[in-house]
Amino acid sequence: MAEKILNSYETIFIIDATLTEEATAALKDKFTSLIEANGELESVDEWGKRRLAYEINDRTEGIYYLVNFKADSEFPKELDRQYKITEGILRTIIIRKDEQ
């Protein structure tokens, strides 16, 4: 049986700053748990509340998180789908990092 190849990824997601601390923590935990269940979580870096470059859904601030992880090539599609159907997420990006 062939071993699964894990690629390195990083994702940034922005949570609506008008949510409560509990709701923000729940969203962060939801996505870090999802990543852990489907790959290897390497690091979670909270950048905190920052001003957005432009308004998104009438919001001017968001809470930024940077997550580095390893997963197979199919998982980022599912992660992106989860981001899109979750209320409270303003913007996301998932990037595959080159191996050095």
Side-chain angles (χ1 to χ4, degrees), residues 42-81:
E42 293 179 335
S43 67
V44 179
D45 190 12
E46 182 178 347
W47 291 354
K49 188 185 287 189
R50 295 177 177 227
R51 188 164 188 79
L52 301 173
Y54 53 89
E55 278 190 19
I56 302 171
N57 300 338
D58 298 325
R59 304 288 187 249
T60 58
E61 290 185 325
I63 301 168
Y64 286 65
Y65 288 92
L66 169 69
V67 180
N68 290 294
F69 65 98
K70 287 186 177 184
D72 67 15
S73 59
E74 295 299 312
F75 177 64
K77 293 176 198 162
E78 174 61 18
L79 181 60
D80 192 45
R81 187 184 77 78

